[in-house]
Amino acid sequence: MDKKTTLSKTDYKWIEELPPLSTGVDALTHAFSHYYTYFLGRNRHNKAFHYHYMALSFTIRDRIMERWKKTYGAYADANCKRGYYLSLEFLMGRALGNALLNLGIDKNTKESLCSLGLELEEIEAAEHDAGLGNGGLGRLAACFLDSCATLQLPVMGYGIRYEYGMFRQRIENGRQVEEPDRWLRGGYPWEFQRLEYIQRIRYGGKTEAYKDARGVLRHRWVETNDVLAIPFDTPIPGYENNTVNTLRLWKAVATDEFNLDEFNSGSYTEAVSTKNEAENITMVLYPNDASENGKELRLKQQYFLASASLQDVIRRWRVVLKGDFKDFAEKNCFQLNDTHPSCAVPELMRILMDEIFMTWDEAWSITCKTMAYTNHTLLPEALEKWPLEIFERLFPRILEIIFEINARLLAQVAFKWPGDNDRLRRMSIIEEGETKQIRMAYLAIAASFSVNGVAELHSELLKKGLFHDFYELWPEKFNNKTNGVTPRRWLCLCNPLLSDLLSKHIGKSWISDLQQIEKISHLADDPEFRKEWQNVRIENKKRLAAMVLNDCGIEFNPLAMFDVQTKRIHEYKRQLLNILHVIHLYNRIKQGDTDNWTDRCVLIGGKAAPGYAMAKLLIKFINNVADIINDDPDVGNKLKVAFLPDYRVTAMEIIAPATDLSEQISTAGKEASGTGNMKFMMNGAVTIGTLDGANIEILEEVGKENFFMFGLTAEEVEKTKANYNPEAIISESRELGQVISIIESGHFNIFEPGIFNPILDAIKSPDDPWLVAADFNSYLKAQTLAAEAYSDKERWTKMSIINSAKSGKFSTDRTIKEYNRDIWHLSQVKPKESL
Ligand code: 26Q
């Protein structure tokens, strides 16, 4: 028989006929040794755990792979509606432990490694965090993927495969030093390059109008400089359900014809080096957690993600599913993670009109039925705007489409509010002025059928403030989806001792139905259970103390209260208020005012955006204060202060289970939601917090007696700003006055005179937007109450138990169910055969 015919006749049945891989101990051991020896070529002389980690990951990955294929088979068979989560950030952290947990093979794996004389924990520690995000927004995306897979919803994540993730932070002489995060250096075993799904992304060039064969006016985008987008797929396993979803990350590479001119004219090396320009697009994650305006490369990244992902979805619709575009909107839904991917709006319009040849109305109808936008910020200065000139140069066709969207939006506004020119100016997607700018949020709102905030208060404030005009135009679009965190990573994985205790008393159902955790609340009155709870917490605190000793050289006593604030360093989050309180405690010790003292270990961690001078100065301030206090023999064990370098997902996995007091102290009305607050609460920390973001909902769940509330409300903050006089507050408050005097005396910077003046000036300024002085006294009272409560061990343990017990609402399973019920309307699809 002809060889060629045989090949083309292959029906690939042999793939279907592959027997499932065993997850038994012996099979795991065999696969592990095989990968270690043959695939990786290592032997007994290899001491680093990196290759053990690789071998184990490949072993587990094989077992994920068959489930992955079955999941996609089931999605195809069900011809179901799909959701796409478009995000510039996915802060995944480590994958191995999560895969073991969700596949339910952690026990067998441990046993298998043990038989080889190896320890799982050591191997897990060799994994580098996938830190492709700044903070809350990026980690939320990662938790959402976990919940979508666990709920068996056909949702795919689309993002960028940055070569360099969030920078690594070192502290040198108290100051932040940034180092590149080469997370891919040793190879990333969880990704699959998919060259078959490469996409072409256009930049530059110009637009042309032409008439098609039927005489219809059409547009094309020509003479572009193209870049290729290569997808890399990472599996997202659901919790013990055989579903495996996909996170698809795009990498930019040059096209072969890149700079053909130069190539032909003989300058081969120049032609090759210009390839860098294309490949730069996905080189680095921008490390700002508030928008950095005007950086052209960032906008190129944003369009790159939007265009590659949309082309990919449309390719699948046309080629694989052979879908009719009249059904497209019923079968597809895009969730925009903030405005960062909002180029997806004009890009979808472009593809539908210029490549599928739809009319404007047909394309607009599809776009408006498929786009949904989530806002994550209330700070007006953080709303994304881009100079029109950059759009014109980088994506002329996209700009034309934005103009048309805006013209139609303004026509609608003019119709509803005739003669209201000020409103037209306010609502225009194009901000007029010296440099015209595109308001990305307005573009996203105009095209989305759903606009949501991330906590009740935040969603209300959006309607009253930032987006008020749009709320008046389209009230039906606005809704709330309070954030959550996945209990798999943020309880099961990170707190095995507490997980075992919970499961022993209430069974394991809480892992995929966190509301069940409520069942432990009555056990708060059981002294026996409290003892068990305390034992778990002490062990977790020892684990954190070891990390603090190792990373900061400071000894934390596990019996002291662990008072923790970890999050990005930002003025609105008010790490300053925290450190002022620390100085107050120090002052009390120095004055001998230590009756009924509660020992405290204060831990602060977080990264400052490299260009944010004030945030960087705050890090220096915290470190200097810590140095003085920790070195003072008068202080001893009463107070310890540490700044933990390189705060990241993996650090939080140690921190949250060991925290007693969770600091959530932003100026009210500024923190959209917060999600660290939920991780701490779930693990049994009590919150000291303002009435901001999701703190309010945490307070509602636990009640005032289990929460240390303080500070001005969002409404009061706005009123106070009108005639704010911090100097008066300082002179009227003995405690704050003394704290300020100590700082002014140069006590924390004897060899660097004056360096903290900008901080003092900020506190004293009537224009301080964060009202640090205004909330100080109220914060101090709440802190005193917290210290008092902690000194009564049984009372504190009850509070701790109640906080965990009431954390059911803050699972992303609940959040995702709400997104699905109100926005996506996807059906659950189960893979056919169970393995
Ligand atoms: C935009 C343009 C250019 C460069 C950078 C950016 C940029 C990048 C990241 C702007 C903002 C971010 C991140 C924002 C963020 O993390 N917000 C947080 O989102 C959480 C999840 O909803 C909330 O819980 C937090 O309250 C919110 O601060």
Side-chain angles (χ1 to χ4, degrees), residues 296 365 397 482 609:
E296 196 169 311
S365 154
R397 180 63 186 130
T482 297

Side-chain angles (χ1 to χ4, degrees), residues 587-652:
N587 186 40
R588 273 184 58 191
I589 297 171
K590 294 304 274 183
Q591 295 183 344
D593 173 16
T594 55
D595 288 353
N596 304 317
W597 187 264
T598 301
D599 290 351
R600 233 188 243 254
C601 298
V602 178
L603 185 66
I604 301 177
K607 291 172 183 173
Y612 188 173
M614 190 56 157
K616 291 183 128 176
L617 185 62
L618 281 167
I619 292 180
K620 169 73 174 158
F621 187 48
I622 296 165
N623 277 299
N624 277 28
V625 171
D627 282 349
I628 297 288
I629 293 178
N630 297 329
D631 284 352
D632 190 326
D634 293 346
V635 176
N637 263 344
K638 291 192 182 64
L639 180 62
K640 296 276 180 196
V641 188
F643 184 89
L644 185 87
D646 205 31
Y647 174 62
R648 62 201 184 282
V649 170
T650 302
M652 186 56 160

Side-chain angles (χ1 to χ4, degrees), residues 89 134-138 140 286-293 298 302 337-338 340 374-377 382 384 386 454 483 572-573 670-675:
E89 307 191 8
N134 272 284
L137 164 150
L140 185 74
Y286 276 87
N288 317 294
D289 62 344
S291 75
E292 177 171 311
N293 280 330
R298 165 74 184 194
Q302 296 185 179
N337 198 17
D338 217 299
H340 315 157
T374 305
N375 171 283
H376 297 265
T377 185
E384 249 191 302
W386 292 97
V454 291
N483 282 166
Y572 85 79
K573 297 181 188 279
K670 303 300 172 196
E671 188 71 272
S673 159
T675 44

Side-chain angles (χ1 to χ4, degrees), residues 315-331:
R315 169 197 59 77
R316 200 178 311 119
W317 181 255
R318 283 216 278 195
V319 182
V320 184
L321 304 172
K322 310 220 174 350
D324 185 329
F325 275 93
K326 77 175 174 11
D327 306 326
F328 186 83
E330 283 93 79
K331 288 292 174 75

